[in-house]
Amino acid sequence: MLEAAINAFRIPELRRKILFTVGILVLFRFIATIPVPGVDREVLQQLLEQNQLLGMLNLFSGSTLANFSILAMGVYPYITASIIMQLLTPIIPRLEELSREGQQGRNRINHYTHWLTVPLALLQGYGQAVLMANAGVLSDFGLFNADTALRSISILLVMTAGTVFLVWLGELITENGIGNGVSIIIFGGIVASLPQSVANLIGGGTATQNVLGTVGFILIGLITIVGIVLLNEGVRRIPVQHAKRIRRGRVYGGGSTYIPLKVNSAGMIPLIFAISIMVFPGMIANFLQTSDRDWVRNLAGSVATAFNPNGLLYQVIYFVMVVAFTYFYTMVLFQQQNIAENLQKQGAFIPGVRPGRNTEAYLTRVLMRITLVGALSLGVVAVLPYIAAQITGVTTLFLGATSLLIVVGVAIDTMRQLEAQLMMRNYEGFLR
């Protein structure tokens, strides 16, 4: 990995891509320090320490919720919009047609996702602002008060613009830098918050009072990292034979290759999907706990208790949703690739399997079997921090499954893209 990074810096184009990515991350962290007007930081710090839900939202925002900055929502509304579009694609025929039109169709769907992000950002911004105002973090907020309406609208517009700005920065990284831009933004926020999380773990006395538990928790975290790497790299190779063709007396083709079906084709997306949906009921419940009606407050309290990240019910639902989303997203990706159709067009076939529908059925059957292993493993990784906390007595978000999977997954994907760029440059030098 170090050798690949050193070699990349020797190539001007790759050096420019790496420096561009780092520059965007520095800009992101700089803007993340600009708070929304009227924020009480001491009250906000206490609220984040006591509320696990806000801790998860802080994770998705790239640690920008820690000071309720103008980027406090992060790319979470865009992720929610992406989830909605993924769910609607198999249902709406027009979206399904666009998904089969290659890059142009995907760009069109992405355009719809951008438009959907704006109202979702306004809705989430209002929910967060009301929650902060009720907790005493944000002063003078209220859309239905003549004295504060204009100021409140300004705050919502600034927060929404912050989300759109972050999405734009992520796409700049995707186009001109290295790696997936939105994932890199979340990655940068998690890495930036790690030193503070470690300091809180040590400074809070947990590391000194429960040394054995802390060591056990760290060991479980390291084992989880190894498991994530193995899960991401696990592949089932399906052999493919290319038919021989005779043209002008010469034989072409006839080679053999393979189709790499990954054990975890969905990557970190199922965890993000699941936790995004799990966060939503708790956020609505916290919003409704200030209602004037008793039955609404009681219902909101029950929902908030059920969706408490430290509860067993939450972890069970989380596990089931991760498994379900892994299957869902894997099948969506598989259908978009049209592997069986492409093989038939290229004159290729899987030995012992007829081309066309039989090939598609065979690949689907194999993919469902290996995805079972990947989905269950991903579900275990998702709830492993809770299990580790119950065993060791150490509760901290800095070694959360989502954090680890995002950090490890983004690091592996970025290094893979960097190595692909290096290999392409080597082939260019060889051909020249």
Side-chain angles (χ1 to χ4, degrees), residues 368-426:
M368 293 289 284
R369 286 204 304 264
I370 63 175
T371 301
L372 176 63
V373 178
L376 293 178
S377 301
L378 201 60
V380 171
V381 169
V383 300
L384 193 58
Y386 172 78
I387 298 174
Q390 299 301 314
I391 296 175
T392 62
V394 178
T395 57
T396 177
L397 282 175
F398 100 96
L399 274 178
T402 309
S403 304
L404 285 178
L405 194 64
I406 290 174
V407 170
V408 175
V410 171
I412 292 175
D413 182 62
T414 304
M415 290 307 302
R416 185 179 290 117
Q417 291 191 28
L418 194 60
E419 291 175 353
Q421 293 280 347
L422 288 172
M423 186 176 297
M424 185 173 64
R425 298 311 189 282
N426 290 336

Side-chain angles (χ1 to χ4, degrees), residues 272-388:
I272 296 177
F273 278 15
I275 206 169
S276 298
I277 293 178
M278 295 294 291
V279 163
F280 188 72
M283 185 173 64
I284 298 297
N286 284 333
F287 173 70
L288 294 177
Q289 280 182 329
T290 58
S291 174
D292 296 333
R293 299 179 181 273
D294 293 337
W295 70 271
V296 174
R297 287 201 307 271
N298 295 334
L299 178 61
S302 301
V303 173
T305 302
F307 285 88
N308 180 9
N310 290 327
L312 178 61
L313 178 61
Y314 177 94
Q315 298 297 328
V316 172
I317 299 175
Y318 186 27
F319 176 86
V320 173
M321 292 192 70
V322 168
V323 174
F325 272 120
T326 302
Y327 268 103
F328 169 76
Y329 196 73
T330 298
M331 296 312 299
V332 168
L333 290 178
F334 177 73
Q335 290 175 2
Q336 290 177 353
Q337 292 171 352
N338 296 324
I339 297 178
E341 182 180 345
N342 293 332
L343 287 178
Q344 192 171 14
K345 290 179 180 179
Q346 297 169 6
F349 61 93
I350 299 174
V353 181
R354 289 184 177 182
R357 292 184 178 179
N358 290 341
T359 297
E360 184 176 359
Y362 172 77
L363 291 176
T364 302
R365 188 166 60 252
V366 173
L367 188 63
M368 293 289 284
R369 286 204 304 264
I370 63 175
T371 301
L372 176 63
V373 178
L376 293 178
S377 301
L378 201 60
V380 171
V381 169
V383 300
L384 193 58
Y386 172 78
I387 298 174

Side-chain angles (χ1 to χ4, degrees), residues 115-396:
W115 281 107
L116 183 59
T117 300
V118 176
L120 290 177
L122 285 170
L123 181 62
Q124 183 185 335
Y126 177 73
Q128 282 192 10
V130 170
L131 182 62
M132 293 298 177
N134 293 335
V137 175
L138 190 63
S139 60
D140 298 330
F141 182 86
L143 289 178
F144 306 104
N145 189 328
D147 298 331
T148 60
L150 184 60
R151 183 174 183 271
S152 302
I153 292 174
S154 300
I155 290 175
L156 291 181
L157 291 178
V158 168
M159 293 176 66
T160 302
T163 293
V164 175
F165 178 71
L166 269 188
V167 174
W168 178 64
L169 288 182
E171 294 190 344
L172 285 180
I173 293 177
T174 302
E175 294 175 3
N176 304 310
I178 295 291
N180 181 277
V182 174
S183 299
I184 291 288
I185 292 292
I186 301 176
F187 171 86
I190 295 172
V191 172
S193 65
L194 283 180
Q196 183 63 37
S197 299
V198 175
N200 292 338
L201 181 64
I202 298 175
T206 305
T208 55
Q209 297 175 6
N210 188 6
V211 178
L212 186 60
T214 302
V215 173
F217 194 87
I218 293 175
L219 287 177
I220 292 175
L222 294 175
I223 294 173
T224 304
I225 292 175
V226 175
I228 290 172
V229 174
L230 295 176
L231 188 61
N232 284 340
E233 298 301 306
V235 173
R236 166 75 183 273
R237 296 183 176 184
I238 305 297
V240 174
Q241 186 72 33
H242 291 266
K244 293 183 180 181
R245 297 180 181 180
I246 301 177
R247 293 181 181 177
R248 298 179 181 179
R250 295 185 178 181
V251 179
Y252 295 90
S256 60
T257 181
Y258 62 88
I259 302 173
L261 295 180
K262 299 189 67 174
V263 174
N264 179 27
S265 302
M268 60 187 173
I269 300 299
L271 274 177
I272 296 177
F273 278 15
I275 206 169
S276 298
I277 293 178
M278 295 294 291
V279 163
F280 188 72
M283 185 173 64
I284 298 297
N286 284 333
F287 173 70
L288 294 177
Q289 280 182 329
T290 58
S291 174
D292 296 333
R293 299 179 181 273
D294 293 337
W295 70 271
V296 174
R297 287 201 307 271
N298 295 334
L299 178 61
S302 301
V303 173
T305 302
F307 285 88
N308 180 9
N310 290 327
L312 178 61
L313 178 61
Y314 177 94
Q315 298 297 328
V316 172
I317 299 175
Y318 186 27
F319 176 86
V320 173
M321 292 192 70
V322 168
V323 174
F325 272 120
T326 302
Y327 268 103
F328 169 76
Y329 196 73
T330 298
M331 296 312 299
V332 168
L333 290 178
F334 177 73
Q335 290 175 2
Q336 290 177 353
Q337 292 171 352
N338 296 324
I339 297 178
E341 182 180 345
N342 293 332
L343 287 178
Q344 192 171 14
K345 290 179 180 179
Q346 297 169 6
F349 61 93
I350 299 174
V353 181
R354 289 184 177 182
R357 292 184 178 179
N358 290 341
T359 297
E360 184 176 359
Y362 172 77
L363 291 176
T364 302
R365 188 166 60 252
V366 173
L367 188 63
M368 293 289 284
R369 286 204 304 264
I370 63 175
T371 301
L372 176 63
V373 178
L376 293 178
S377 301
L378 201 60
V380 171
V381 169
V383 300
L384 193 58
Y386 172 78
I387 298 174
Q390 299 301 314
I391 296 175
T392 62
V394 178
T395 57
T396 177

